[in-house]
């Protein structure tokens, strides 16, 4: 246990209260403290920064409150790295609901401030910390208006004046781009001081403190406060001793909401200080208005400027009508933050602590902490770095790239009737990707008024000639020279149903759409080249009418190319190894899923968007479904992995995971961040990636920001679309979204995609959906009953192909996107 934590630091009213607090602290440290305090608090911060885990927020806030109550009040000197842990709404109905025995009102429990913060600045590192500097008695007197209590408490050893540190957020989206410029103007931020001689910083700049700041990457500073030892102003803290930071003094020039703010700090471990944000809910200033036509007149105050000694002309009336002289400011806890000693910067920025705020290239601390010497990502294709490539046409000058971009990976078509002209589709001066762009544009033109699969025949034939990628030792492998884009081991352990582990064998590929097609219409036209009159699904009279008319316009394709690709943030897919435990769970179709996996089933039921998957769980429980034996029922009958599964069955699942399956996510780019709260609500699998793995993507042409829509990838499968097979069945790699416990929002639960590799690192995929939505999925059911239809084609590609794709503008948002990614 930390020597700084003890229940004796909290002024409990009774021995029983003190024992209860100590028991809560002991339980917290025994249960949650598995490594360092940095790791412990980082685990709390990740939950509180994730809108998808808002059900856990009250519990985590209670734990932070326990730590704060037991923390030791000590003065702080010099610079500190800052971490925003949480933000809470002020509860203006707190006194009302307290009479009903509740701590927070329902309105405050919405936590809209936390939700907005999490979707914008929570993980950007906009705020980077504070510094605490020595200050003269004269300066304190000036800033506090000679307040008697403040001046009486003045002590050169403990009294400090402080300011905050800010940096430019890494993201370039519109909201984040406004953050620092707006703060600079409204809070009058100044550039980072470079020497002790820098003027007008109120406190004493010392060479020692400036040297300690070197591990803190910030560019602007401001937002002043006075600080000293004191007692907490939050009623629930019962006068607990704290180190108090007061922003409210008018002479400090606070801008709203700092006119309401008082921070309080305690030490919980060596170099670790826990702070609570405290805001006044009564008697505060909103700022002031300057009179534009009368500049010589004073500003007009809005609200009530901070004046704790109540030196006001009407003070005598206040004393008459108030029983208490002290004004009740209605102070409340509005969240928590951390102050961390930069001497421990390497531990603070570590992958298992707070990696997202570590210094970036060009920032202070980047070279000093050795991040410039960190081994680079193991990228699949490194030739483009030197010499620099003109990715539109310059690839022809490099023999290795030219071979990659012009050589197909093919096998014989399962349809003997297919003409052997796939290679002739590519013109001599084209890359395979340029060929696909030309074919895609031709399909879009032809299907504008006639959405029939006959116009997709070139892509159909190419798909039948491609070769399915495989799985080798649990890792996704292509058929090309290297067989992967990157291969990396994760560093951040993430939870999966009660077990934490890092990603193993991680790989990812960039995604692009070619053409979409309304597959529902093909239920009425089993033969893509046939007229409706050939169908046996309609009466002949009706079929003849439909057969003599062209199909309707390709609304899906038109919508995608005109609107969808500009707003839909899909960036590709990622793969990683899957354990036998996880695989057995996700393929389980047992009748007692709610008993086997109560937490997972509970999540399914709690999300309206996952209703189809929750419905499968309910249906599997019913009598008829209980008699259906799924594809893997024999290896699940002994029980779930954690609940009685036999060793023999566990061995089967480990082997199955090693030989045939990978765990996958769809990846999204930064455009998804504007919809972050919504995605957390509708997709139970949506998450922030491991920062290390996300960092590897940032070294490539198109980084991803989020992962979601999980699937199971499986190798060496027979295609479920009849059009892909002939005398033999086409072998493909499939993406399964349909098993009950996979979850995910509508309509992803009706999806079962297939891919083949057509060139080194370039995969052609078919977007396939069940059109029989009234037929619940079960692996024992003949796939034909689901009426799977083709809804379009997409591509997955490695970094080299992605550079080329962005340059030739295949399914991109145009030249702005190219410039943003630095593609030449």
């Amino acid at each position: 246990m930390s020597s700084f934590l003890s229940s004796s630091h909290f002024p409990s009213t009774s021995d029983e209260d003190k024992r209860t607090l100590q028991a809560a602290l002991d339980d917290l440290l025994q249960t949650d403290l598995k490594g360092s305090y940095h790791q412990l608090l980082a685990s709390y911060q990740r939950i509180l920064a994730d809108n998808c885990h808002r059900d856990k927020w009250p519990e985590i806030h209670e734990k932070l409150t326990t730590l704060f109550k037991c923390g030791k009040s000590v003065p702080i000197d010099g610079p500190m790295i800052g971490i925003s842990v949480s933000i809470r709404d002020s509860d203006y109905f707190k006194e009302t609901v307290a009479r009903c025995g509740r701590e927070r009102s329902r309105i405050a429990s919405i936590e809209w401030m936390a939700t907005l913060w999490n979707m914008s600045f929570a993980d950007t590192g906009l705020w980077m910390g504070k510094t605490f500097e020595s200050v003269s008695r004269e300066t304190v007197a000036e800033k506090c208006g000679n307040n008697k209590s403040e001046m009486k408490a003045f002590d050169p050893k403990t009294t400090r004046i402080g300011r905050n540190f800010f940096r430019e957020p890494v993201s370039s989206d519109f909201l984040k781009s406004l953050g620092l410029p707006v703060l600079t103007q409204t809070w009058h931020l100044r550039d980072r001081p470079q020497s002790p001689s820098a003027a007008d910083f109120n406190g004493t700049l010392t060479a020692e403190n400036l040297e300690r700041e070197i591990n803190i990457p910030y560019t602007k500073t401001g937002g002043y406060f006075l600080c000293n030892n004191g007692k907490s102003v939050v009623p629930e803290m019962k006068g607990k001793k704290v180190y108090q930071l007061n922003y409210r003094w008018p002479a400090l020039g606070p801008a709203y909401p700092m006119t309401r703010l008082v921070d309080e700090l305690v030490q919980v471990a060596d170099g670790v200080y826990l702070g609570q944000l405290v805001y006044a809910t009564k008697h505060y200033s909103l700022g002031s208005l300057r009179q534009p036509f009368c500049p010589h007149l004073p500003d007009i105050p809005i609200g009530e400027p901070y004046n704790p000694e109540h030196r006001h002309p009407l003070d005598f009336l206040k004393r008459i009508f108030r029983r208490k002289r002290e004004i009740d400011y209605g102070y409340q806890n509005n969240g928590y933050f951390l102050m961390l000693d930069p001497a421990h910067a390497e531990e603070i920025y570590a992958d298992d602590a707070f990696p997202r705020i570590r210094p970036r290239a060009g920032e202070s601390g980047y070279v000093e902490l050795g991040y410039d010497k960190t081994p680079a990502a193991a990228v699949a294709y490194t030739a483009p770095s030197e010499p620099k490539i003109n990715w539109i046409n310059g690839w022809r000058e490099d023999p290795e790239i030219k071979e990659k971009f012009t050589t197909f990976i093919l096998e014989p078509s399962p349809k003997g009737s297919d003409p052997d002209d796939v290679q002739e589709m590519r013109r001599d001066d084209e890359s395979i990707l340029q060929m696909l762009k030309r074919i895609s544009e031709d399909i879009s033109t032809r299907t504008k008024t006639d959405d029939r699969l006959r116009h997709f025949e070139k892509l159909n034939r190419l798909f039948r000639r491609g070769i399915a990628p495989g799985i080798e030792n649990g890792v996704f492998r292509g058929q090309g020279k290297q067989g992967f884009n990157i291969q990396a081991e994760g560093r951040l352990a993430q939870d999966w149903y009660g077990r934490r582990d890092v990603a193993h064998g991680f790989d990812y590929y960039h995604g692009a759409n070619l053409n979409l097609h309304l597959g529902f219409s093909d239920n009425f036209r089993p033969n893509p080249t046939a007229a409706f009159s050939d169908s046996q699904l309609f009466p002949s009279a009706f079929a003849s009418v439909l057969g003599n008319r062209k199909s309707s316009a390709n609304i899906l394709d038109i919508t995608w190319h005109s609107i969808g690709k500009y707003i839909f943030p899909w960036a590709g897919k990622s793969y990683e190894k899957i354990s036998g435990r996880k695989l057995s769970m996700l393929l389980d179709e047992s009748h007692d899923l709610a008993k086997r996996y109560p937490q997972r089933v509970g999540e399914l039921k709690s999300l309206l968007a996952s209703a189809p998957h929750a419905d499968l769980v309910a249906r599997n429980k019913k009598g008829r479904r209980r008699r259906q034996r799924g594809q893997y029922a024999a290896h699940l009958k002994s029980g779930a992995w954690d609940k009685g599964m036999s060793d023999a069955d566990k061995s089967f699942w480990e082997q199955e995971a090693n030989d045939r399956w990978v765990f996958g996510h769809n990846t999204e780019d930064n455009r998804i961040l504007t919809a972050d709260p919504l995605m957390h609500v509708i997709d139970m699998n949506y998450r922030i990636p491991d920062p290390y793995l996300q960092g590897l993507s940032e070294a490539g042409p198109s980084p991803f920001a989020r992962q979601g829509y999980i699937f199971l990838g499986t190798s060496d499968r027979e295609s479920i679309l009849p059009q892909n097979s002939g005398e033999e069945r086409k072998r493909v790699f499939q993406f399964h979204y349909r098993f009950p416990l996979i979850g995910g929002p509508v309509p992803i639960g009706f999806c079962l995609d297939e891919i083949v590799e057509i060139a080194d690192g370039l995969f052609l995929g078919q977007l396939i959906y069940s059109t029989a939505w009234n037929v619940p999925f079960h692996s024992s059911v003949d796939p034909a009953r689901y009426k799977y239809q083709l809804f379009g084609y997409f591509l997955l590609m490695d970094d080299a192909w992605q550079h080329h794709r962005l340059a030739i503008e295949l399914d991109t948002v145009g030249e702005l996107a190219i410039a943003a990614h630095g593609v030449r």
Side-chain angles (χ1 to χ4, degrees), residues 157-447:
K157 296 179 180 179
T158 61
T159 304
R160 296 288 180 264
I161 193 167
R163 51 188 164 82
N164 290 270
F165 300 149
F166 302 94
R167 80 195 291 196
E168 189 70 47
V170 67
S171 175
S172 59
D173 73 52
F174 179 72
L175 181 61
K176 295 182 180 66
S177 67
L178 291 178
L180 193 57
V182 169
L183 284 179
T184 300
Q185 292 298 318
T186 58
W187 291 10
H188 308 293
L189 302 185
R190 301 186 58 195
D191 291 337
R192 176 177 186 155
Q194 300 296 326
S195 72
S197 61
D200 300 326
F201 276 91
N202 294 312
T204 303
L205 297 179
T206 66
E208 179 185 2
N209 283 344
L210 292 178
E211 179 65 24
R212 290 171 61 191
E213 287 182 10
I214 203 160
N215 291 337
I216 308 177
Y218 79 94
T219 56
K220 295 288 185 178
T221 184
Y224 289 91
F225 52 87
L226 288 177
C227 37
N228 207 341
N229 291 330
K231 293 183 178 181
S232 177
V233 295
V234 178
E236 290 81 4
M237 290 295 148
K238 301 179 180 179
K240 173 182 168 55
K241 292 181 180 179
V242 294
Y243 194 62
Q244 199 166 78
L245 289 56
N246 194 332
Y247 292 79
R248 305 192 65 193
W249 301 107
L252 290 171
Y256 186 85
M258 289 191 296
T259 55
R260 300 169 54 192
L261 179 60
V262 177
D263 287 342
E264 297 179 345
L265 285 164
V266 294
Q267 188 167 11
V268 297
D270 184 24
V272 179
Y273 303 83
L274 178 62
Q276 68 170 343
L277 291 162
V278 180
Y279 279 98
T281 59
K282 305 175 184 177
H283 307 292
Y284 55 82
S285 170
L286 293 172
S288 59
L289 288 178
R290 178 165 295 179
Q291 303 181 59
F293 303 108
C294 302
H296 60 284
L297 295 178
D299 294 349
I300 300 174
I302 305 174
E304 184 177 332
Y306 181 62
N307 186 12
E309 288 191 349
H310 324 303
R311 291 182 298 185
H312 189 277
L314 300 180
D315 267 357
F316 74 96
L317 291 177
K318 294 181 181 180
R319 285 192 289 270
I320 293 174
F321 292 103
R322 282 188 180 143
R323 294 182 179 180
K324 295 189 301 183
R325 176 179 171 82
E326 292 298 323
I327 289 181
D328 177 13
Y329 285 109
Y331 286 116
Q332 293 182 13
N333 173 285
N334 285 85
Y336 289 97
F337 64 95
L338 298 174
M339 294 277 88
L340 306 175
D341 192 333
H344 305 296
E346 291 185 6
E347 298 175 33
I348 297 167
Y349 300 138
D351 293 324
D352 55 4
F354 304 99
R356 299 185 68 84
I357 65 163
R358 68 170 56 130
R360 303 187 291 268
E363 292 184 319
S364 182
Y366 182 77
V367 173
E368 291 80 1
L369 292 170
Y371 294 122
D372 59 325
K373 298 181 175 61
T374 302
V379 186
Y381 198 78
T382 57
S385 57
E386 289 294 337
K388 292 183 177 180
I389 302 296
N390 179 325
W391 287 103
I392 299 178
N393 296 309
W395 55 268
R396 300 188 186 104
E397 309 301 322
D398 189 301
E400 187 176 354
I401 301 177
K402 182 177 180 180
E403 180 184 8
K404 178 184 178 77
F405 282 5
T406 59
T407 304
F408 287 98
I409 293 178
L410 302 173
E411 66 182 8
S413 171
K415 279 190 173 182
S417 60
D418 270 352
D420 192 19
D421 65 346
V422 169
Q423 302 206 49
E424 283 68 35
M425 292 183 190
R426 187 185 67 82
R427 296 170 181 170
D428 289 341
D429 62 341
E430 287 181 325
S431 69
I432 294 173
L433 206 58
Q434 288 169 322
M435 175 201 79
L436 289 169
K437 181 184 179 185
R438 174 172 51 82
I439 292 173
S440 175
E441 291 171 347
D442 180 63
I443 292 173
S444 292
T445 300
R446 291 174 180 271
T447 60

Side-chain angles (χ1 to χ4, degrees), residues 474 578-589 596 629-641 645-661 712 714 717 739 779:
I578 187 168
S579 66
R581 176 180 181 266
K582 184 186 294 187
L583 181 63
S584 67
M585 174 182 174
L586 293 179
L587 292 180
D588 200 336
E589 299 174 280
R596 291 180 177 224
R629 288 176 56 81
Q631 185 177 356
Y632 297 98
H635 300 285
L636 292 162
K637 63 182 181 180
S638 61
W641 186 283
M645 182 178 286
S646 67
D647 290 341
D649 286 335
K650 287 183 177 180
S651 296
F652 166 82
W653 285 111
E654 290 288 8
Q655 192 65 42
E656 189 76 2
N658 186 72
D659 297 344
R660 297 168 64 88
W661 298 86
L712 293 174
T714 183
R717 297 286 173 161
F739 285 88
S779 62

Side-chain angles (χ1 to χ4, degrees), residues 9-21:
H9 295 149
F10 187 72
S12 300
T13 56
S14 67
D15 291 340
E16 182 180 355
D17 289 344
K18 184 172 293 187
R19 286 194 295 271
T20 300
L21 179 60

